Amino acid sequence: METQLDPMKDDLPLMANTSHMLVKHYVLDLDVDFKSQVIEGFIVLFLETGSRYRRASSTGEEGCQSQFDETCKIRAWEQGHVPVSNASVCSSKTEYNDFAVCGKGEEDTSDKNGNHSNEEQASGISSSKNCCDIENHGNEDFLLVLDCCDLSVLKVEEVDVAAVSGIEKFTRSAKLTDVSKELANLRNQIVHELVTLPSDRCKEQLYYYTCCSQAPGCGELLFTTGTWSLEIRKSGIQTPTDFPHAIRIRYKTKPEGRSVTWTTDQSGRPCVYTMGSPINNRALFPCQEPPIALSTWQASVRTAASFVVLMSGENSAEPVQLQEGIMSWYYYVTMPMPASTFTIAVGCWQEVKQSFTPAVQTNNEFSLPCSQADFRWHEESCGHVEYPCRFQSPAARLQRVIPYRVFAPWCLMKCCEEHLLQLIPQCLSAAYTTLGTHPFSRLDVLIVPSNFSSLGMASPHIIFLSQSVLPGGSHLCGTRLCHEIAHAWFGLAIGARDWTEEWISEGFATFLEDVFWARAQQQLSHDEEKAQQELKALLRWRRLRDEVQNSEEELQVLRPNKESTGEVSESGASIVKHGLKAEKIFMQIHYLKGYFLLRSLARRIGGASYLASLRKFVYKFHGQLVLSQDFLSMLLEDVPEQRESGLTVESIFTNWLDTSGIPKLLPDQLVLLLEYLLEEKTLCPRTLQCLEETYQLRDQDAEVRHRWCELVVKHKYVPGYGDVEKFLREDQAMGVYLYGELMVNEDAKQQELAYKCFAAAREQMDVSSAKVVAEMLF
């Protein structure tokens, strides 16, 4: 039985038993119905036995491989529409009008909660209490558990991949000579051969994925839907090895489903899009949501001809007319990624066309200046599972600006043309200059409806931007665009293995946002760039301070699972701590605290060396999932002198990632903070008191105490006058000009303090210093 959690208060459960079975590829075939606000169709899952059970697999493979063992390599293939020729194929009859594509498939037998059953389920055979987890090793049936929420599941069936014309070639492999020709085993072996095809048969692979997805069913499977999961079993099958490796699920979404939003755009036309829900995509399609479940996908979406379908796919889909007024859009992704990154937006979007030649040149002569170390990295093989990787493509490595398109509601097209279109090539070029090869081959940018709750969201090949970034010049639009572009590297190409470590995505994107934007503004001098970034740091510091003061301490921890980070149960299921807390959605702690950690490391190591380390990290870990220690360990390996000075992974965990609040600042950071505060016209006594107590300023080094004394004098903070007197007496080498500040305010108490201190110290002072101070005072 799945754990019952309060969806309004508790953590987010990831229910999928990924250690038992892994989805390697999804095929979605969907109809969009705006009239009923439902997406209906089927999804086919191609599965492999999970890491814990591969040793016992009937394939005879040696060893218990990790979830990352993968020999599947797919290349781009545009022909995604394969005719359906078998009458037994699971398809839907459709009725269409201008705003509706309504799937009429299996009869909806759901109860009021949207749960479905078949005859065997009705007798209680497949209830969760009678099905066991694989751990029991008894005579119970194996359960495939998928993450699922707010879906009406109509039917689950095994797919007869052996019935596909031409599929017999996958049964001739030498691997199959000792395998029983029992049909169920044969089907699983066909799927195994398909998902592990070598790269020189990549087009064939996508073709057969499509053919297999449309093959007839060969037996319904028992299933139970719960609050968070879909549990599937086949009677008499007790192990993942024997469980069907290709299954088709017919389902439909619910209007109230939390993975997509049905709304109207700014021009009043209907649309639907994935808006970055805390529950991710489990209310859009049944899937495996744990990050470890890296998969590829392809999707065909049918809708009325007046609509445009945008999706996370590496091809720029061209619609195919199925019948009058009906179009089908096909997308695919060949880089294995978590299902949570899948994104779709269907609406009456208009493409914003380029009416000028962009200033940024995109030819190959503008390649990234690389160090000798950069060249050595590219000579090494990638560390990820095999896929068509752009980091290994000479042409992609020279592509400064990837192809891009902009879509928006009709009423916002002019605004996008005036501002957004000009910024995209500049920001893409700046990102390339900083980090090198773009991980994805193209980019769509969509201005989403006004109910979008964020300024932006990045997914593979597509970025959503809020209309709020458009007016008022280029600054907000440019910085937000830079932030989302940065997610192509940090958040997508490199993902967090544990979703509680959001800072790996958001902290890096916030830090790189400044770097990209400074370089996108090509006219900035070094001093202007530095001043701009310092100002942003001050503004972020204030936001971070306010958030820390007004939020729960447990939500301020960047690594809430501490030493258990990245761990999952034996089945692969896990919990995302605080994943469903409503207030967490609007918090910026992972952005800001992560940003200041990275900023402190950059200042300590040096900007140029730090960015070189980021490029190295990107090359080493792209296409993989990481934990905080992966980055920190690699960084400290590159700068051993920092380890010798006491900077360790453990100290960073202690000071930054495993504790709430604002970390203890280094002296240079405290100096910078105090200098920022010196620029403020007024600070109340309570703020100054909190500042001293928080950072124990009286116990800091002379540089910090000097700035503290300047603050005391500027804001006439009487409780701090004793600190000023002590500084003038004990730190004469740095206190000369403090006398002048005491005098310039023309405050009687401060002038009296200056006279008193000078009188006490004059006899011991250096002659030149005493002369300068005397001129200030008299």
Side-chain angles (χ1 to χ4, degrees), residues 726-757:
K726 182 179 180 182
F727 189 86
L728 291 175
R729 186 175 66 251
E730 298 180 359
D731 297 280
Q732 295 184 22
M734 301 180 67
V736 170
Y737 291 103
L738 204 54
Y739 282 100
E741 293 173 36
L742 284 168
M743 298 301 293
V744 78
N745 282 335
E746 297 184 353
D747 178 84
K749 288 187 177 179
Q750 290 191 0
Q751 291 181 346
E752 181 183 346
L753 179 60
Y755 294 137
K756 175 184 176 183
C757 292

Side-chain angles (χ1 to χ4, degrees), residues 17 49 81-82 133 220 222 290 336 343 371 382 388 511 530 540 547 597 604 655 671 688 705 734 748 752 770:
N17 52 345
T49 306
H81 301 279
V82 178
D133 189 274
E220 291 193 33
L222 309 174
T343 301
S371 67
C382 299
F511 177 84
K530 183 177 180 181
R540 288 177 179 138
E547 190 154 295
L597 166 57
R604 190 160 180 169
N655 295 326
V671 169
L688 291 167
R705 286 186 285 110
M734 301 180 67
E752 181 183 346

Side-chain angles (χ1 to χ4, degrees), residues 33 58 88 147 153 246 294 374 422 438 453 503 553-554 645-646 774:
D33 179 4
S58 60
S88 300
D147 293 295
V153 178
L294 301 176
D374 291 333
Q422 302 175 50
H438 289 281
S453 61
W503 84 271
E553 285 194 5
E554 62 178 4
S645 67

Side-chain angles (χ1 to χ4, degrees), residues 478-526:
T479 55
R480 194 66 207 191
L481 185 60
C482 286
H483 182 99
E484 303 308 332
I485 288 174
H487 279 309
W489 287 268
F490 291 94
L492 295 174
I494 300 174
R497 199 191 323 165
D498 188 317
W499 276 348
T500 62
E501 290 201 301
E502 298 169 59
W503 84 271
I504 294 176
S505 173
E506 298 301 349
F508 276 94
T510 304
F511 177 84
L512 288 166
E513 167 191 325
D514 294 353
V515 181
F516 291 0
W517 181 236
R519 294 182 173 183
Q521 303 168 87
Q522 299 168 0
Q523 75 279 10
L524 283 187
S525 68
H526 174 74

Side-chain angles (χ1 to χ4, degrees), residues 446-462:
L446 172 66
I447 303 299
V448 287
S450 56
N451 68 339
F452 187 52
S453 61
S454 173
L455 290 180
M457 184 177 78
S459 300
H461 310 283
I462 186 168

